[in-house]
Amino acid sequence: MRTVKLEQETVSIPQVIRTSCNSELVNMYITICKEQDFSPLSSSTLFKILSSCSAAKKTNLRGLDNIAADGNTAFDLLINVTKELVNMEVLDRDDSDEILSKLKKSKIYLKTDYKLHVQKNDRCADHCINWALSDTKEKEYAVECDHLHDLVCDRCNLLPDVLQMLIDRVNNTSELTNEEKEEHLRDLEACSFKIELWKAHLLKTVNQDEARTKIFDD
């Protein structure tokens, strides 16, 4: 625990580790305030608060959250695969730049805004907690949504677009042997699985946080 001395009292603050930088936290806070029609504190005040309530610096996620660590590692592997395919002339520079840009944006999205978009009921399937956590086989553990999932999140689709592009390039190239193609496709499949697992984990944490909040409010 850390303590912060105010004018009239001393506040105890739990020791935490942040996975987002201060500017991202401030932007997320302001976004939530706008959505809730709540007047936020000024940015300068928010930065002062974060400075006073400094968190431990993240050096390694391993041991804290293996799913998140594996997801981050999977993004790094996709970047390495992309660069390797450029060197093997499977991808040209334009394709490589597009893929690397989308990978960066997708990773940042999962680490920041994705959890802000997740809610109990949403017309986007990627954001709908009830739909995502419903068991397709056991009706007792399923909830029927009273809405269609007719919206698509372009930021959630960044990763599938990249993976499909890489898969198509690997399958259609003549620069790789069949063994090399199989190896790259296995890597892509493994990365996709780990990142989707991380994304599902983030959605579950939002649901758990909402449950805790409801308990405290009751």
Side-chain angles (χ1 to χ4, degrees), residues 85 90-91 95 99 160-174 176 181 185 188:
L85 292 177
V90 176
L91 291 172
D95 286 342
I99 289 172
D161 289 347
V162 165
L163 289 170
Q164 190 58 56
M165 189 174 182
L166 289 171
I167 290 171
D168 289 343
R169 294 295 189 277
V170 170
N171 280 327
N172 297 327
T173 186
S174 58
L176 301 175
K181 288 183 179 182
L185 291 174
L188 294 175

Side-chain angles (χ1 to χ4, degrees), residues 74-215:
F75 271 108
D76 294 337
L77 180 56
L78 286 175
I79 291 173
N80 291 335
V81 169
T82 301
K83 293 178 179 179
E84 183 179 344
L85 292 177
V86 172
N87 294 333
M88 301 176 78
E89 298 184 351
V90 176
L91 291 172
D92 58 33
R93 288 294 175 183
D94 289 339
D95 286 342
S96 171
D97 290 343
E98 179 184 352
I99 289 172
L100 293 176
S101 175
K102 286 184 176 181
L103 285 174
K104 181 180 179 180
K105 291 177 181 178
S106 180
K107 184 177 181 180
I108 291 174
Y109 176 59
L110 288 182
K111 294 178 69 175
T112 56
D113 290 349
Y114 175 66
K115 291 175 70 173
L116 300 179
H117 294 168
V118 171
Q119 49 189 340
K120 279 289 186 181
N121 294 284
D122 197 281
R123 289 170 60 189
C124 175
D126 286 294
H127 303 160
C128 186
I129 292 176
N130 285 339
W131 183 86
L133 298 184
S134 290
D135 194 313
T136 57
K137 297 180 180 179
E138 299 290 339
K139 292 184 178 180
E140 293 82 0
Y141 301 102
V143 175
E144 289 190 13
C145 295
D146 58 359
H147 55 271
L148 297 175
H149 297 114
D150 54 354
L151 297 182
V152 176
C153 174
D154 56 343
R155 297 170 76 183
C156 286
N157 279 350
L158 286 171
L159 181 65
D161 289 347
V162 165
L163 289 170
Q164 190 58 56
M165 189 174 182
L166 289 171
I167 290 171
D168 289 343
R169 294 295 189 277
V170 170
N171 280 327
N172 297 327
T173 186
S174 58
E175 301 294 334
L176 301 175
T177 64
N178 289 335
E179 290 78 9
E180 289 173 330
K181 288 183 179 182
E182 290 178 2
E183 181 181 349
H184 280 95
L185 291 174
R186 280 197 299 268
D187 286 342
L188 294 175
E189 183 180 0
C191 289
S192 175
F193 176 77
K194 290 179 180 178
I195 294 172
E196 287 299 324
L197 199 63
W198 180 25
K199 184 178 178 182
H201 176 65
L202 291 171
L203 183 141
K204 290 177 183 177
T205 60
V206 173
N207 187 55
Q208 291 169 350
D209 289 342
E210 288 188 0
R212 292 191 192 97
T213 301
K214 184 177 180 180
I215 291 173

